[in-house]
Amino acid sequence: MTITTKVVDIVKDKMTIVKHSETENICLVGPVKLPVKQGEFSATFQWYNWVKVDSNLSKEEIIDGLATANLAFSQQSSVLVYGDFANEEDVLIRMHSICHTGDIFGSQRCDCGYQLHESMKMIAEHGCGAIFYLADHEGRGIGLFSKSLAYLLQEEGLDTVEANHALGFQDDTRSYEEAITVLTALRSKPVTLITNNPKKLAALQMHGLTADGHIPLWGGVTETNRFYLDTKVEKSGHIRDMK
Ligand SMILES: [Zn+2]
């Protein structure tokens, strides 16, 4: 089936083709208006979604191929933008790694759900910013299935870093290249990164992030995630805010 020109006309102005590498482009779609409500907090974000495509494909060819691309079998990352992100001088961003258990189920084995929702609030209160939700970052890059095994190992006394190693993974295999390509397409001025991990800021800067600093985000500590958070401080370079 060929997509009608009417459909192409409606969506193509909201599609941007961004060069990612010699052979790949990123097809960025948005903004899509996304009103959100979580408890007392509500705000309207602009949502952008992206997918990597061959660099020789036109917008029409990308749209034409969607129905057979099986995109539901792979995960797509996206970004929630708030305010005039391209032009505002002082903006906050968060690079949030997907956490199926924490973000969706509210698991208290980690503080990801707290960090996600709190950073959305921080950005809305600040007036401008973006939250990148990175879909291939589950379990610091080990995937959801392996994460369940890592949790079983943690119940036997291994910490979060040791458990990933015991399953044959490096501790952290997350890549930020796509997110940085998208960020650069949305904004060229510097940003402030919301993170407790200065190493993450340094790694992102090495990959081309223009950031002039970072601000921490603590507060989601509970009895069930205390050991996990201690490990992040002791082994992964996180700095605890003592306030
Ligand atoms: Zn988590």
Side-chain angles (χ1 to χ4, degrees):
M1 192 190 85
T2 306
I3 304 291
T4 64
T5 39
K6 182 160 184 254
V7 170
V8 173
D9 283 346
I10 291 170
V11 296
K12 75 174 181 196
D13 289 346
K14 291 280 180 78
M15 293 173 82
T16 310
I17 304 289
V18 188
K19 183 177 164 63
H20 184 56
S21 70
E22 285 310 312
T23 55
E24 288 170 323
N25 286 337
I26 279 176
C27 178
L28 180 66
V29 172
V32 177
K33 192 174 167 186
L34 200 72
V36 303
K37 181 162 170 56
Q38 292 158 8
E40 296 296 299
F41 168 72
S42 65
T44 299
F45 287 86
Q46 306 151 53
W47 181 51
Y48 293 81
N49 199 274
W50 73 85
V51 69
K52 255 193 321 196
V53 293
D54 286 344
S55 58
N56 57 0
L57 291 180
S58 68
K59 289 180 187 177
E60 286 77 5
E61 288 168 324
I62 293 165
I63 298 168
D64 239 358
L66 285 178
T68 52
N70 287 325
L71 287 181
F73 291 97
S74 59
Q75 297 198 71
Q76 287 85 59
S77 296
S78 75
V79 55
L80 283 180
V81 169
Y82 192 84
D84 185 2
F85 190 64
N87 300 307
E88 201 68 56
E89 282 305 315
D90 178 18
V91 308
L92 303 179
I93 69 158
R94 174 156 180 84
M95 293 284 181
H96 189 86
S97 297
I98 187 173
C99 179
H100 188 116
T101 45
D103 298 339
I104 300 172
F105 297 145
S107 161
Q108 296 297 302
R109 292 190 74 124
C110 57
D111 62 341
C112 303
Y114 174 86
Q115 292 208 336
L116 172 64
H117 298 126
E118 204 57 27
S119 53
M120 288 169 70
K121 282 185 210 161
M122 280 170 75
I123 284 168
E125 279 166 19
H126 183 74
C128 195
I131 299 144
F132 287 78
Y133 194 78
L134 303 172
D136 54 357
H137 280 193
E138 185 67 67
R140 294 194 300 282
I142 73 173
L144 188 60
F145 181 79
S146 304
K147 180 177 168 180
S148 63
L149 300 179
Y151 275 175
L152 290 175
L153 295 178
Q154 287 172 39
E155 281 169 15
E156 297 303 313
L158 276 67
D159 69 35
T160 178
V161 173
E162 290 164 347
N164 283 13
H165 285 159
L167 291 169
F169 293 98
Q170 292 178 346
D171 175 52
D172 196 335
T173 56
R174 288 174 289 186
S175 135
Y176 294 93
E177 270 88 12
E178 282 182 35
I180 288 173
T181 297
V182 171
L183 173 62
T184 309
L186 295 173
R187 177 181 173 86
S188 52
K189 297 178 184 180
V191 297
T192 300
L193 186 69
I194 302 174
T195 183
N196 293 323
N197 189 353
K199 279 189 191 168
K200 188 166 172 181
L201 176 64
L204 286 164
Q205 284 169 328
M206 257 179 53
H207 287 99
L209 179 79
T210 316
D212 47 17
H214 74 103
I215 60 169
L217 172 59
W218 285 100
V221 186
T222 63
E223 274 315 303
T224 45
N225 68 19
R226 184 177 302 279
F227 178 64
Y228 164 82
L229 294 174
D230 285 347
T231 303
K232 279 181 145 184
V233 171
E234 283 158 26
K235 290 199 172 172
S236 303
H238 288 233
I239 292 178
R240 200 189 303 274
D241 179 13
M242 289 305 184
K243 277 187 290 197

